[in-house]
């Protein structure tokens, strides 16, 4: 949608140097200078003043710089909207990751696809590291994600159709003293360091944390706000105990997940854009009707 020499031009303007721009762009300084010369020739404008002390934008170059950023953003947004429009005709894009697998969506899809027989599914893998960015991509990169979610931060960025609840459990390294237990009590955690997310973003986690803080023999260590595989790696490496949920039983071969004698759960559901397309709206309405007439397993 735009000449990629604009990217080079912006890099040179921001770096104030052909060589520094070349490092940023992983190009040679000669290639950068050739692109700038070609752009100047194409526009019939002098964009930079070359001096022994360095380069600086001309007044014409400053005007082009202001417009270039707009043109690139507008082009990318237009292409993204065009792709969404192409998709929305007959394809649903479903995000799937290790900690946020698409399986619950398929359970809905198998029951509803007769009403969407002209649709196809496109499964889009993503990395749990950077999940907030992925949630923000709903409506663009994905039509749907399935997430374990009562996060205020997530729900500021998407809608959620609740599908059920997962039980909260405990994960321990395979060599841990509790690893062979079939079920544990809170008192079994005395003397342990329990890893869990810090207070403030999840009502379900905050409620459980308040309970655990009544047990001074349990030390609580804050993890990163949203779990990814590194959290499970730390559990396996340190010997600490990790607060987890039943659907994550098999995400890491080095840890064992154990039920606890408590009633704590967390909701999971189908996540979709704050401004969904008409087809996404239609699927959500069909799913709501199904849920209202069917009890999903807790």
């Amino acid at each position: 949608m735009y000449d990629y020499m604009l990217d080079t031009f912006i890099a040179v303007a921001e770096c104030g140097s052909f060589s520094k721009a070349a490092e940023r762009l992983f190009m040679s300084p000669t290639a950068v200078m050739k692109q700038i010369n070609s752009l100047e020739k194409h526009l019939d404008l002098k964009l930079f003043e070359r001096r022994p002390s360095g380069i600086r934008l001309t007044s014409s170059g400053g005007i082009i710089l202001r417009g270039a950023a707009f043109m690139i953003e507008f082009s990318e947004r237009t292409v993204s909207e065009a792709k969404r429009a192409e998709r929305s005709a007959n394809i649903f894009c479903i995000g799937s990751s290790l900690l946020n697998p698409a399986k619950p969506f398929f359970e809905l899809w198998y029951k509803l696809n007769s009403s969407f027989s002209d649709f196809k599914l496109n499964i889009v893998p993503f990395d749990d590291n950077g999940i907030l960015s992925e949630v923000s991509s709903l409506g663009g990169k994905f039509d749907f994600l399935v997430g374990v979610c009562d996060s205020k931060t997530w729900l500021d960025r998407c809608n959620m159709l609740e599908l059920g609840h997962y039980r909260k459990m405990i994960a321990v390294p395979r060599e841990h003293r509790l690893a062979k237990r079939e079920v544990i009590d809170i008192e079994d955690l005395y003397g342990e360091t329990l890893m869990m997310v810090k207070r403030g973003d999840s009502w379900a986690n905050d409620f459980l944390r308040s309970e655990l803080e009544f047990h001074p023999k349990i030390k609580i260590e804050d993890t990163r706000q949203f779990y990814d595989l590194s959290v499970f790696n730390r559990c396996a490496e340190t010997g600490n105990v990790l607060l987890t949920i039943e659907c994550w039983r098999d995400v890491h071969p080095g840890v064992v997940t154990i039920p606890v004698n408590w009633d704590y759960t967390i909701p999971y559901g189908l996540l979709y854009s704050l401004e969904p397309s008409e087809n996404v709206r239609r699927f959500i309405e069909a799913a709501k009707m199904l849920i209202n007439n069917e009890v999903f397993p807790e």
Side-chain angles (χ1 to χ4, degrees):
M1 289 286 289
Y2 67 91
D3 194 316
Y4 285 96
M5 286 190 293
L6 284 178
D7 290 322
T8 304
F9 167 71
I10 290 173
V12 173
E14 291 179 346
C15 294
S17 162
F18 290 123
S19 59
K20 290 180 180 178
E23 290 178 5
R24 177 193 291 189
L25 299 169
F26 300 100
M27 298 168 59
S28 69
T30 301
V32 170
M33 286 187 282
K34 284 183 177 180
Q35 286 198 20
I36 295 301
N37 290 339
S38 295
L39 182 61
E40 289 181 323
K41 183 177 180 181
H42 174 71
L43 297 175
D44 193 24
L45 290 170
K46 186 177 181 181
L47 303 176
F48 294 100
E49 292 181 359
R50 282 81 163 171
R51 298 181 175 183
S53 57
I55 61 172
R56 71 175 186 178
L57 282 167
T58 62
S59 57
S60 298
I63 294 171
I64 296 296
L65 180 62
R66 291 192 293 274
F70 170 79
M71 285 187 284
I72 291 172
E73 180 184 358
F74 180 78
S75 296
E76 291 175 346
R77 187 169 64 249
T78 300
V79 171
S80 178
E81 289 176 358
K83 288 181 177 179
R84 285 201 302 271
E86 182 181 71
R87 275 208 320 263
S88 64
N90 59 359
I91 297 176
F92 284 139
C93 287
I94 320 302
S96 187
S97 69
L98 184 64
L99 299 185
N100 297 278
K103 182 181 176 182
F105 176 86
F106 299 142
E107 293 171 355
L108 275 177
W109 178 253
Y110 297 144
K111 297 168 184 175
L112 295 174
N113 64 355
S114 60
S115 301
F116 297 86
S117 57
D118 55 336
F119 279 73
K120 295 181 180 180
L121 301 183
N122 184 9
I123 309 305
V124 183
F126 67 91
D127 193 333
D128 292 298
N129 184 13
I131 183 62
L132 195 58
S133 173
E134 305 294 358
V135 170
S136 299
S137 297
L138 284 161
K141 183 177 179 180
F142 316 109
D143 292 305
F144 300 105
L145 297 177
V146 178
V148 178
C149 179
D150 72 339
S151 163
K152 298 173 187 175
T153 307
W154 284 28
L155 295 175
D156 282 343
R157 291 165 169 77
C158 68
N159 285 308
M160 183 178 82
L161 174 63
E162 187 174 311
L163 300 179
H165 288 74
Y166 288 129
R167 290 178 295 163
K168 286 187 171 292
M169 297 186 174
I170 294 297
V172 299
R174 289 193 173 274
E175 64 277 8
H176 193 277
R177 65 180 179 87
L178 298 174
K180 297 187 182 301
R181 297 280 296 274
E182 293 186 2
V183 63
I184 64 173
D185 297 310
I186 290 182
E187 290 75 15
D188 291 316
L189 301 176
Y190 287 0
E192 300 290 343
T193 296
L194 174 65
M195 300 164 55
M196 66 180 300
V197 298
K198 63 183 180 180
R199 185 185 296 277
D201 189 54
S202 161
W203 179 89
N205 284 328
D206 289 353
F207 193 76
L208 174 54
R209 186 166 182 144
S210 295
E211 165 70 13
L212 293 170
E213 287 172 348
F214 279 110
H215 297 266
K217 294 182 181 180
I218 302 174
K219 179 182 177 181
I220 297 178
E221 176 185 305
D222 291 341
T223 67
R224 59 189 310 167
Q225 187 175 9
F226 307 118
Y227 281 18
D228 61 15
L229 196 56
S230 69
V231 176
F232 291 86
N233 285 338
R234 178 165 174 77
C235 173
E237 293 165 3
T238 63
N240 291 343
V241 176
L242 177 67
L243 182 67
T244 186
I245 50 180
E246 59 182 295
C247 67
W248 293 340
R249 284 180 180 271
D250 301 316
V251 301
H252 195 294
V255 302
V256 177
T257 301
I258 310 168
V260 186
N261 280 323
W262 60 29
D263 296 322
Y264 296 107
T265 64
I266 192 167
Y268 72 94
L270 192 60
L271 309 182
Y272 59 101
S273 172
L274 292 172
E275 298 180 358
S277 68
E278 182 57 36
N279 285 328
V280 169
R281 288 179 189 275
R282 189 159 67 91
F283 186 85
I284 291 297
E285 289 305 313
K288 287 179 179 178
M289 292 179 65
L290 176 68
I291 291 168
N292 289 335
N293 290 281
E294 178 176 341
V295 177
F296 274 73
E298 294 290 318

